[in-house]
Amino acid sequence: MSAQEGEPALRRLTWKDAAASVLGTTVAVLLIAVGLPSFLDTSWAQIGAQLGRICPGTAVVMAGLLLAGLFSYTWVLMGSLPGLGHLQALKVNAVSATAANLLPLGGALGVGLMVLMLRSWGFARRALSSSVAVVSLWNILARVALPVIGCLVLVAGPIDAPDVVVRGGWVAVAVGTALVLLSSLVVLSDRVADALAALGRPLLARVLPARPGRPPLDLLLTDQRRRVAGVVRTSGVTMTLGMAGQFVLLFGLYWYAARVVGLDLPLAELVCAYTFRQFLTVVAVTPGGLGVTEVGTAGLLVLLGGDPGAASATALLYAIYAHVVIVPFGLAAVAAWWLSPARTGRRGGGLPAQEPSSLRT
C-alpha cells in the first residue's frame, strides 16, 4: 500500500455543515448581543464601561495565562502518545481548539485534524487510536470532576446558599463522583470491564451485527480498553497533572479578568462560576458553547452577588480569550504544519510510522 493510500482523510464539509455553522454563530451572537444585557438587567454602556478598564499590560498578562494553559495541556497529549514533543502537542492543541470554537460539533473536525497532523509526523494508527480514546476520556472526566469541585465549594464552603441549592449540590457531588469512579474501574479493572461488556454484548450485536472478516465489536472494544489502560497506568499521573495545570491557569485567567473589570466577588464564588462555565461548554448548540456559557455564568455571578455589568464584562472578556484570541494561534499552527517538510515528505515516502520518538520538535 502506498503512502497516499494509507493517509487518513478528513470528512468533506457539506452545505449542512455550513448552515449549522452559520446558525450556531447567529445564535451565539444573539445570545451575547441581546440576551446578555436583557437577562442580566444591564446595558452595553455599563458593560463597555467595565471593559474600558483593560489596558495593554493586562491584555498581555491574560494572553500569557492563556498560552501557559495551552502549554500545560501538552503533557496530556504527550502522556497519551509517547514520542510526541511539546511543540507538536502545542500545535495540535491550538488547531483542535480553534476548530471547536469555529464550528458547532467542531470537536469531531478537531480530532480529524489532530489525527491527520500526527499521521504526517509518523505516528501509527494503533497508537493514535489509543491516544484519542485516552484524551477523550480525560476530557470527559475533567468536565465531570470540575462541577463536583464547584458543588463542594457551594455546599461545604463559605457561600450562603438556599437549602434546595445545597441539596441539589450534594446530589450532583454524589452522581459526579460515582461517574468518575465507575469510569476508572472500567478502564483499570478487567473484571468490571468484562462484566459490562457481557451486559452490553446483546445490544452491540443488534446495532452492529458481525460481518465476515471483521472481528466482533466487543473484542475490538476490549482490545482498545486494554491499550487505554496501559497508557493510563504509565502516564495517568502526568496527564492528570497537565490537565489540572491547564484548568488552574485558565481559572487564573478567569479570576484576573474578573478583577480587571471590577467584579469584586470572593474566590469561592468565582470557583463556582468557573466550574459551571466549564460544564456548560459541552452544550454544542453554538460553537464551543459560545453565548450559552456567557449568559449562564454571568447570571450565576449575579446570583452570587456580583454587579450585572461587571459580571457580564467578566464572562465576555474571558470568552474573547477562550474563543477569539486562540484562533490566530490555531490558524498559524495549521499553516506551519501544512508548509512543513514533514507533511510534504509523507507524500514521497516520508518517515516511518514506527519511529515517532525521533520526530520530536
Side-chain angles (χ1 to χ4, degrees), residues 239-299:
M239 294 171 60
T240 300
L241 291 175
M243 183 75 76
Q246 179 199 38
F247 283 123
V248 168
L249 288 163
L250 292 183
F251 173 72
L253 173 60
Y254 191 81
W255 173 86
Y256 192 68
R259 292 297 178 260
V260 166
V261 301
L263 181 65
D264 190 18
L265 281 179
L267 185 65
E269 278 81 347
L270 292 177
V271 169
C272 287
Y274 175 74
T275 56
F276 182 58
R277 184 195 188 281
Q278 295 305 118
F279 176 73
L280 286 178
T281 57
V282 302
V283 178
V285 176
T286 61
L290 183 64
V292 176
T293 56
E294 285 62 55
V295 173
T297 52

Side-chain angles (χ1 to χ4, degrees), residues 117-179:
M117 293 172 71
L118 293 171
R119 281 291 295 155
S120 74
W121 291 329
F123 290 95
R125 287 186 184 84
R126 188 176 177 86
L128 293 180
S129 174
S130 300
S131 174
V132 170
V134 171
V135 170
S136 299
L137 175 65
W138 242 240
N139 279 285
I140 291 172
L141 291 180
R143 294 309 189 277
V144 173
L146 278 174
V148 170
I149 295 172
C151 289
L152 283 174
V153 172
L154 181 66
V155 301
I159 300 175
D160 186 17
D163 290 341
V164 64
V165 175
V166 172
R167 287 194 294 270
W170 280 119
V171 171
V173 168
V175 172
T177 302
L179 287 173

Side-chain angles (χ1 to χ4, degrees), residues 8 26 29 31 86 89 96 152 155 202 211 226 236-237 285 296:
T26 302
V29 170
L31 280 172
H86 278 291
S96 58
L152 283 174
V155 301
R211 293 180 181 177
R226 287 175 177 166
V237 174
V285 176

Side-chain angles (χ1 to χ4, degrees), residues 4-357:
Q4 292 94 325
E5 291 171 339
E7 288 303 308
L10 289 175
R11 182 177 68 85
R12 286 182 176 275
L13 296 179
T14 66
W15 67 268
K16 293 182 179 179
D17 297 305
S21 181
V22 171
L23 178 61
T25 303
T26 302
V27 172
V29 170
L30 289 175
L31 280 172
I32 292 175
V34 179
L36 197 61
S38 299
F39 296 148
L40 276 73
D41 194 24
T42 184
S43 67
W44 276 108
Q46 291 175 306
I47 298 173
Q50 304 301 126
L51 291 174
R53 299 183 177 204
I54 303 169
C55 65
T58 57
V60 170
V61 170
M62 294 177 68
L65 288 169
L66 176 67
L67 286 175
L70 291 175
F71 189 78
S72 181
Y73 190 78
T74 61
W75 272 280
V76 179
L77 297 172
M78 291 167 61
S80 72
L81 189 60
L84 187 67
H86 278 291
L87 183 56
Q88 291 173 321
L90 190 61
K91 291 177 182 177
V92 166
N93 189 20
V95 169
S96 58
T98 298
N101 290 334
L102 289 179
L103 294 170
L105 302 177
L109 179 60
V111 170
L113 282 168
M114 179 179 73
V115 171
L116 198 61
M117 293 172 71
L118 293 171
R119 281 291 295 155
S120 74
W121 291 329
F123 290 95
R125 287 186 184 84
R126 188 176 177 86
L128 293 180
S129 174
S130 300
S131 174
V132 170
V134 171
V135 170
S136 299
L137 175 65
W138 242 240
N139 279 285
I140 291 172
L141 291 180
R143 294 309 189 277
V144 173
L146 278 174
V148 170
I149 295 172
C151 289
L152 283 174
V153 172
L154 181 66
V155 301
I159 300 175
D160 186 17
D163 290 341
V164 64
V165 175
V166 172
R167 287 194 294 270
W170 280 119
V171 171
V173 168
V175 172
T177 302
L179 287 173
V180 171
L181 290 175
L182 178 61
S183 300
S184 302
L185 286 173
V186 169
V187 172
L188 298 176
S189 171
D190 290 336
R191 182 175 298 178
V192 173
D194 291 342
L196 289 178
L199 290 174
R201 191 172 291 117
L203 178 61
L204 291 175
R206 290 185 178 183
V207 175
L208 290 172
R211 293 180 181 177
R214 186 177 71 180
L217 183 60
D218 59 336
L219 294 182
L220 292 176
L221 292 176
T222 299
D223 176 65
Q224 180 71 284
R225 187 203 66 79
R226 287 175 177 166
R227 284 189 282 127
V228 168
V231 174
V232 170
R233 288 191 179 98
T234 56
S235 305
V237 174
T238 299
M239 294 171 60
T240 300
L241 291 175
M243 183 75 76
Q246 179 199 38
F247 283 123
V248 168
L249 288 163
L250 292 183
F251 173 72
L253 173 60
Y254 191 81
W255 173 86
Y256 192 68
R259 292 297 178 260
V260 166
V261 301
L263 181 65
D264 190 18
L265 281 179
L267 185 65
E269 278 81 347
L270 292 177
V271 169
C272 287
Y274 175 74
T275 56
F276 182 58
R277 184 195 188 281
Q278 295 305 118
F279 176 73
L280 286 178
T281 57
V282 302
V283 178
V285 176
T286 61
L290 183 64
V292 176
T293 56
E294 285 62 55
V295 173
T297 52
L300 180 58
L301 288 170
V302 172
L303 288 175
L304 294 174
D307 173 75
S312 301
T314 298
L316 189 59
L317 181 57
Y318 184 86
I320 289 172
Y321 277 86
H323 291 272
V324 179
V325 174
I326 195 175
V327 170
F329 293 108
L331 295 178
V334 168
W337 164 72
W338 187 259
L339 299 174
S340 66
R343 190 196 70 84
T344 54
R346 291 284 298 168
R347 298 184 178 181
L351 296 167
Q354 66 270 25
E355 297 287 349
S357 60

